[in-house]
Amino acid sequence: YLLGQHFMGNVEILVPPPEDKDAAVAISALVHALAETGSAAIVRYIKRANALPYLGCLLPSMLLFSLLPFATC
């Protein structure tokens, strides 16, 4: 169970494009699977093409993305 103080900065809600029904089905399946198992997903998130990747956590309630702190060597 993650509390508000566990978040490192801004939290974003990820949603599919309104016209992309296949993406909506895929995201819905992911949200339900995470919720049913009481899990969260550790993900690499790239917001735009040619942008730097971020390491984050996806939480099943409304598919929240929270940045995780990490350092590269």
Side-chain angles (χ1 to χ4, degrees):
Y1 190 101
L2 292 174
L3 302 173
Q5 62 263 30
H6 293 131
F7 297 131
M8 302 295 295
N10 295 335
V11 175
E12 297 184 32
I13 298 174
L14 302 181
V15 295
E19 67 282 350
D20 193 343
K21 301 298 181 196
D22 292 333
V25 169
I27 286 178
S28 176
L30 177 60
V31 169
H32 283 96
L34 290 173
E36 286 177 7
T37 59
S39 300
I42 305 299
V43 297
R44 190 178 117 192
Y45 176 56
I46 302 172
K47 195 177 238 185
R48 292 178 190 82
N50 299 321
L52 293 174
Y54 295 99
L55 181 66
C57 177
L58 282 181
L59 304 172
S61 57
M62 298 181 3
L63 211 56
L64 299 174
F65 174 81
S66 178
L67 187 64
L68 294 175
F70 76 102
T72 59
C73 298

